[in-house]
Every structure is written in C-alpha cells, then in structure tokens.
Amino acid sequence: MLLTGAEILIKSLLDEGVETIFGYPGGAVLNIYDELYKYKDKINHILTCHEQGASHAADGYARATGKVGVCLATSGPGATNLVTGIATAYMDSIPMVAITGNVAQPLLGKDSFQEVDITGITMPITKHNYIVRDVNELQNIIKEAFYIAQEGRPGPVLIDIPKDITADKTQYNKIIPKEVVRKSEYITEKSLQEAVDLINQSKRPLIYAGGGIGIAEATEELLIFAEKINSPVSTSLMCMAEFPNNHELYTGMIGMHGTKASNIAATKCDLLITLGARFSDRVISNQNHIKNAKVLQIDVDPAEINKNVKVDTCIVGDLKVALSQLIPLINVKRNEEWINTINSLKENKKVKSDCGLTPELFFDKLNKLNDGSFIISTEVGQHQMWTAQYFNFRNERTFITSGGLGTMGYGLGAAIGAQVGKPDKRVINIAGDGSFGMNCNELVTAVKNRLPLIQVIMNNNCLGMVRQWQDFFYEGRYSQTTLDRPTDYVKLAEAFGAKAFRITEVDEIDYILRKALDSEGPVLIDYLINSDKKVFPMVAPGAPINQIISEEDINNN
C-alpha cells in the first residue's frame, strides 16, 4: 500500500499506541496536520498556546502515565521553542518523542525561511535524534525512536522531517513495535554478592532513593527491600512520591532543603545504599560528610557509577530486576539502635494557624482533603520545595516537577499533560507568581479542553528562591527579584475563561479549596503570602549537608 510520509507517520504513531499528541501547526508540518485531521477520531491532538507548553505537556503526560509523551512542532522557531522542554525531559530521564518539521531538502542549508538545524541544536539534550532523508526510512526511524526513548535509562528522542518527505510516497507495512526489555545483562552473581556482603555487615544503613525508582516502576521492591533490612529511607526530589511519606522508615527529602533526619543520617550511616540517583550537587554538596560510609550504588546507567561519588561496589542494571534478585539474598535486619537514633532526629512540628497565610498551613489543609487521587505538579522555586516538604505523597507517579534542569514555567504545561493522561485524577499545579508569569498562557489550553486542574499561585510578589539567596549571601541586595507587578491574577484567569479565587484570610482556605475541587473545569487560586517567607531547613552551597540552617538559627543570628 503506497502512502505519503505524513500518512506513514500517523499510522506508525498508532502502531506505537499513541493516543495523544501535544503540538502547534505551521507550514512545514501542514501535511502532517492534514492527516491528523483525518485521524482525529483515533489521535487526540491538544493545541497548546506555545510549543514550549506542548513539550512540557508531553513530559507531564509521560511522567503521569509511564507512556511515551509525544509533541509536534513546525520548523524554525517552532522547533527551537521545544528545546527547553526537551532539555527538561533529558535531565530527568523522561521518555518523549519530539517531532519537528523542516523545510524541503533542496532548501536545507540555504538559510531558508524558518529553517534551523534542530538536530544539531538538540544533539546534547536527546538520547538520539534523526533527520529523515528518505521516506523509505521513515517508518523504521519512528519505531527505533520510540524504542530508544524507553529502553534502559529513558529520555527524549527527536525526529526532524523535511516537508518533501511528508509528501513523498512509499510502501507501508505494519511493523510490530520492538519489545522493551529491562536491562539485566550486567547484573552478575559477583556484583550481587558484593552488595549482599555490604548490606549484611552494615549496622547503620541508609537508603538514598532517586528518580530511577519511579522510572523502573520499582516502588514495591523499594518498600520490601527497606522493610527487610529495616533501613531508613531518604529520597531525592524526584522520588518523593515513590515511597509512602507516612511510613515509619521514611526520613524525608535529602539535600539542600532536606530534613534534619535525612541529612544527619547521611553523615552517620556506615552504608549509603543509592538507588537510581545520580548524587546531584543539590543532594551531595560537600562529599566529605560521607567519607566514613561505604557506598553501594545501583543504577541502569553505567555512566552514573563513580561519576560524582566514588563507590565501594555497584550493580548495573534495571532497578526492579536488581532489587528483585537482591532481596531474597539479604538477611533480615533490625538495626534497633540505629532506628532509635534516626527517630530521635525526626521533627514533628505542629502547623500553626495563628501565623497567617503560610505554605505549611495551605498544604496541611490540602493533605486533609486528599483522598489519594491528587497529582501534584510544580513550577520551580520556593513553592517547589514547600510542596516537597509539606505535601504527604501516598501514591507513585503523583509528583511531577522539574528536578535536573529546574525549569521555571514547566508546571502548568506538565499539569495539562498529566490531566489529559490521567482524567480520573485531580491535578494541582503549585506555582510562584514568578514562574506562573512565564507560561500562564497555557491556562487557555486547560480552559479550552475543560481540564479540571487547579492552578495555585503562592503569591509573594517576588522571585522567592533567588531573593532568599540574595538575603543570605548578598547582604539583602534584592536586585530585580521584587516583582511589583500590577497583575490581578483572578481577573486574568477569568479573562482566560477559568474560575478564580483569592485567599487573603486563614478561614477562607477550606471553603475555597472545596469550591475548587468541586469545579468541573480549571480553577486558579491566588494565595497571598509574605515576601520574607523562606524555605527552611537549608544547607549553604558547598557546605556539608549536616550543617543545616534553620529558621531559629536565622532568628537568633
């Protein structure tokens, strides 16, 4: 059967099980959009307000569902507008396929209208990318792209398709997608035994779990493993939702804004068991604090072993497979003295309602309303850290945030993707007023598609995290971090077609949250907080993570 390249693309996407595409049309992809029109009953296309929103939506869709997210943009500026979203997905190992159009092949390399070398631009931020030179290669390239995006350590793949390729015809025969098999060929008896010996000999183990747990769908294995060796569990930002936050072994987030229990445990443990984590500088900071501990690292990516921290032994392979093979081999442990020490470090601060509107109070109210169906996405900044510190995550794939790249403007697009992918859940995006201003136009996308997501703005009239650093390290010189914008976010949301509320008093929180949760469409909540509210605890950049700055320290200094 002879089909055009555009037809082959759409049929191949259907073969891969694609149900939703996020995108924005343009001249170089008109042939593709013409086919999407014909297949609109089989592929749901979400038209975003900006291509960056499309890339973040594809990312959020992938994180919430575990499927490959797909975004589509035209050539030139359309393609370059995807770059931030592609880089965000790359840093957090998210399976995504970005499809871009380009000018016809005879016009390539001639500075043609809306021409850009998008494969050259994205080479450092994709697992692989392609420019299709022959329509006969298109079908196999699509199959290969989806496989690469998912296998091993996932990541984004870009396919650049010149316009003449979408018009050229060739034979189409359905190809069954290649099965993605969990990597286990490097999990050896020797590596398992070395790990078992370290674990069995340890008296003060600490598990440091990263985003790889969720990617490998190894949340159940992590819980079984931790309970068998009775080890405290600390998590990176990317793993907050992959271990029950109310579990007795959970010590909270580790790192710059981590808990006292997690950070001090890292300095006192005799074995640091690192699962699917890359020892980010925001976690490890000064390495001297773990020099007395043995380090066991398990990761699917061999490039992560010994990259930032020298390990004593490692297992290279899929986390779900590795833990499944490791768990039967290890001894049951109690570590009672160590657990008592950890419990003494845990802080149980009661949330006060007499301090006005605070992030703690907002999340305390939200936690009480959570029936387990909430998916929380965030932008990047103080509000992101408050979310990690105060929201009680209960289920996997329910925390969607930009960790590695720290992309302001990420959350609303990602929330749209998550809500499309999980229509039975309620997605709540937590933003600062600075981050919200970057891609607030995507609220229109939520309105048009009647998505019942809730957009919360922690409105402190400043770029809070940068301002906090200016306060601590730049003697309070608030250079360009006080916003003083006259924008009325309630009126803005209503102009976009969304419902909106403003919270200015404590006794309004419960009522407005319930009103928002009862809404069938998108809702914005403008939550006014003090500009001087800071994220505590905090570890100064480059300092050991047990040198924790608390709010009391600041008040007493």
Side-chain angles (χ1 to χ4, degrees), residues 75 99 123 145 223 310 317 321 330 337 368 381 392 411 476-477 483 525:
S75 62
I99 300 166
M123 190 174 294
L223 181 60
K310 183 174 174 56
V321 176
I330 55 179
E337 184 177 342
K368 290 173 182 175
N392 295 327
R477 293 185 292 275
L483 296 178
I525 298 175

Side-chain angles (χ1 to χ4, degrees), residues 215-231:
I215 291 169
E217 298 179 330
T219 54
E220 183 179 351
E221 288 75 14
L222 170 60
L223 181 60
I224 294 169
F225 177 66
E227 289 180 340
K228 186 168 185 180
I229 65 172
N230 208 32
S231 170

Side-chain angles (χ1 to χ4, degrees), residues 373-426:
S373 68
F374 292 174
I375 294 176
I376 305 295
S377 63
T378 76
E379 306 291 346
V380 171
Q382 286 179 315
H383 57 277
Q384 180 188 33
M385 295 298 104
W386 289 323
T387 304
Q389 291 175 338
Y390 300 124
F391 188 77
N392 295 327
F393 293 97
R394 293 158 55 177
N395 299 308
E396 64 271 16
R397 294 193 181 277
T398 55
F399 188 33
I400 296 174
T401 193
S402 171
L405 197 64
T407 306
M408 291 178 69
Y410 164 82
L412 182 52
I416 288 168
Q419 191 68 82
V420 170
K422 290 290 185 178
D424 57 326
K425 304 287 187 181
R426 178 54 66 94

Side-chain angles (χ1 to χ4, degrees), residues 271-322:
L271 176 63
L272 185 61
I273 304 170
T274 306
L275 307 175
R278 58 187 177 85
F279 290 108
S280 160
D281 57 294
R282 286 296 174 99
V283 170
I284 209 65
S285 192
N286 186 322
Q287 295 185 27
N288 290 332
H289 69 281
I290 61 167
K291 62 184 179 181
N292 295 322
K294 300 282 187 182
V295 178
L296 162 63
Q297 186 173 5
I298 305 178
D299 205 287
V300 73
D301 186 357
E304 290 297 337
I305 308 298
N306 291 317
K307 185 178 82 173
N308 293 326
V309 169
K310 183 174 174 56
V311 305
D312 292 275
T313 193
C314 66
I315 299 174
V316 176
D318 180 87
L319 270 171
K320 192 177 186 73
V321 176

Side-chain angles (χ1 to χ4, degrees), residues 65-128:
T65 65
K67 302 175 183 177
V68 178
V70 181
C71 55
L72 171 61
T74 193
S75 62
T80 57
N81 283 341
L82 295 179
V83 169
T84 298
I86 293 170
T88 301
Y90 181 74
M91 289 291 284
D92 289 344
S93 304
I94 305 304
M96 187 167 85
V97 172
I99 300 166
T100 56
N102 213 327
V103 299
Q105 290 186 89
L107 299 176
L108 288 172
K110 297 181 179 180
D111 293 331
S112 303
F113 178 66
Q114 291 194 330
E115 179 201 357
V116 73
D117 179 12
I118 193 62
T119 54
I121 291 170
T122 59
M123 190 174 294
I125 54 168
T126 51
K127 277 189 75 177
H128 195 65

